[in-house]
Amino acid sequence: MTSVAWTNIGELATADASAGEGPLGVVRDAAVVAVDGVIEWIGPSSACPPADEAHDMDGRAVLPGFVDAHMHPVFAGDRAAEFDARMSGTAYSAGGIRTTVAATRAASDAELAANAARLVAEAARQGTTTVEAKSGYGLTVHDEARSLVAGKSVTEETTFLGAHVVPAEYADRPDDYVDLVCGEMLDACAPHAKWADVFVERGAFDVDQARRILEAAQAKGLGLRVHANQLTQGAGVRLAVELGAASVDHCTHLGDDDIDALAGSRTVATLVPGAEFSTRSTYAPARRLWDAGVTVAIASDCNPGSSFTTSMPLMVALAVREMGLTPAEAVWAATAGGAASLRRTDIGVLVPGRRADLIALDAPSFVHLAYRPGVPLVTDVWRSAQRLPSAV
Ligand code: NIG
Ligand code: FE
């Protein structure tokens, strides 16, 4: 048994409203003790019990490690030229995905795993202690399966996204591709995936195709996540709610009926402000979703096309400055919200019984994540009470 204590925490954001003040459950002058990687005690620093290892936080802010519930870290190449053209006025479209598919198919298994590991390490240095990893740049039975194996090398939260876009070789027979995804591809991928996802969008998959794929995946025991309403206000959000998806992601273009459907459901709205930032789009209506009682998460959507960033502190800053959330709400969405999106009850919140995944800031308050955008404030990162390298 090994115990670790963090003392003199100026501001502890537990992300459990019932554990302290406000939506982030803030406790001041606090200490945390973990035993064998799991939180056992939280209380006033002055009453902290002795531990084998102690860290004096010197009045700094401590919060849960970020839970990034939407990433696409398995790919090869980049699309800087596409980004450059976009910044000169070319619109983002789903078709750009095919550029990355060609590079991914040409990469070895080792390259895909190394690329994913590099991005996950980059995220960890900025405070992310749990990630989700999607396939979706292979789009053959073999390339989707090996993408998931690469994803599994960095996280247990792997998502089969064979229905990311119809690959070029199926362009004139998209329903044959849907048959492949629902049949042989799903059979090969399901053993390596916890979740299935479909990009429901003009230029990707329509609602009927998405329903077939998601129902087939559900029948195989996979949980559901859906990319919906990113570029247009389609029926993807309502489909996700109807099928009981754990999460519906993007939610940029929503009508009142979409918000009502989400509010009456257990489906989390996982918002990805990095995609909106990098495609010069309007932002998802986070304020309206939160006020309607929808569970909101924020995630990086790290991918080479629409959001090539791993920075959850940037997502917090964007959610506050561009989407109308308060700093406390945005940090909740990046921690407890991410855990809810992945239906995880062991992470995302700092209370006894949860994993000791916590980060310290070079700041007295979590508010500084939004107040000081772009500044590397995460000085220390622990997962299961084990220190990881940080960016500072
Ligand atoms: O979440 N929307 C679909 N997938 C990614 C973009 C993929 C790409 O452009 O490569 C997204 O934004
Ligand atoms: Fe995505």
Side-chain angles (χ1 to χ4, degrees):
M1 240 176 42
T2 312
S3 57
V4 182
W6 294 265
T7 61
N8 292 321
I9 300 170
E11 182 196 79
L12 176 69
T14 63
D16 177 350
S18 67
E21 292 162 33
L24 253 192
V26 170
V27 184
R28 288 174 212 287
D29 301 318
V32 175
V33 177
V35 175
D36 292 341
V38 175
I39 297 173
E40 186 161 280
W41 182 91
I42 290 181
S45 195
S46 55
C48 185
D52 301 327
E53 187 185 315
H55 303 284
D56 184 340
M57 304 317 295
D58 200 21
R60 292 183 293 138
V62 167
L63 53 145
F66 299 118
V67 179
D68 191 344
H70 184 141
M71 282 183 94
H72 304 249
V74 182
F75 64 87
D78 73 38
R79 296 196 343 240
E82 177 188 309
F83 177 81
D84 196 21
R86 189 156 71 239
M87 294 305 108
S88 318
T90 307
Y92 176 78
S93 79
I97 292 169
R98 293 195 185 116
T99 309
T100 301
V101 169
T104 302
R105 287 177 180 175
S108 69
D109 294 354
E111 281 164 346
L112 293 181
N115 288 351
R118 185 174 51 79
L119 290 170
V120 171
E122 181 183 284
R125 290 196 297 274
Q126 301 166 86
T128 299
T129 48
T130 301
V131 302
E132 181 260 12
K134 300 178 201 299
S135 66
Y137 292 112
L139 310 188
T140 65
V141 173
H142 175 66
D143 290 308
E144 281 298 298
R146 70 192 188 96
S147 294
L148 286 163
V149 171
K152 235 179 166 174
S153 69
V154 294
T155 182
E156 68 205 81
E157 300 292 347
T158 50
T159 302
F160 168 49
L161 181 57
H164 200 182
V165 75
V166 176
E169 62 274 20
Y170 281 89
D172 54 356
R173 47 191 183 112
D175 286 326
D176 289 356
Y177 185 66
V178 174
D179 289 344
L180 179 73
V181 172
C182 293
E184 200 190 332
M185 195 182 281
L186 178 61
D187 288 345
C189 290
H192 311 297
K194 181 167 171 185
W195 305 98
D197 192 344
V198 175
F199 184 17
V200 187
E201 190 53 74
R202 194 169 60 202
F205 296 87
D206 67 26
V207 170
D208 294 336
Q209 293 168 327
R211 179 189 293 280
R212 274 189 62 203
I213 295 162
L214 293 167
E215 285 179 346
Q218 205 163 34
K220 282 263 181 204
L222 300 184
L224 303 184
R225 326 183 65 73
V226 182
H227 277 72
N229 299 46
Q230 176 182 1
L231 307 175
T232 53
Q233 190 180 319
V237 166
R238 278 164 283 144
L239 177 70
V241 169
E242 182 197 324
L243 296 180
S247 177
V248 59
D249 299 34
H250 287 272
C251 298
T252 309
H253 300 279
L254 298 183
D256 290 342
D257 48 354
D258 298 313
I259 295 178
D260 289 349
L262 282 164
S265 79
R266 273 187 74 208
T267 301
V268 173
T270 300
L271 310 183
V272 290
E276 288 140 8
F277 182 62
S278 293
T279 59
R280 290 197 174 136
S281 160
T282 51
Y283 286 86
R287 181 76 265 150
R288 281 173 62 209
L289 287 164
W290 190 286
D291 290 342
V294 177
T295 302
V296 173
I298 56 174
S300 72
D301 193 14
C302 175
N303 77 79
S306 66
S307 183
F308 200 5
T309 176
T310 50
S311 176
M312 288 297 280
L314 174 63
M315 299 310 125
V316 169
L318 290 173
V320 172
R321 297 164 75 97
E322 303 292 338
M323 297 172 122
L325 295 187
T326 66
E329 289 165 346
V331 170
W332 189 94
T335 55
S341 171
L342 294 171
R343 299 229 164 128
R344 293 280 295 265
T345 54
D346 58 331
I347 55 172
V349 174
L350 299 180
V351 294
R354 298 269 181 147
R355 214 164 78 179
D357 291 359
L358 45 99
I359 65 178
L361 305 182
D362 182 15
S365 171
F366 66 84
V367 175
H368 285 229
L369 288 167
Y371 173 47
R372 306 196 65 216
V375 177
L377 294 177
V378 178
T379 52
D380 305 88
V381 182
W382 290 270
R383 186 195 292 121
S384 299
Q386 306 275 326
R387 192 190 276 280
L388 302 180
S390 65
V392 180

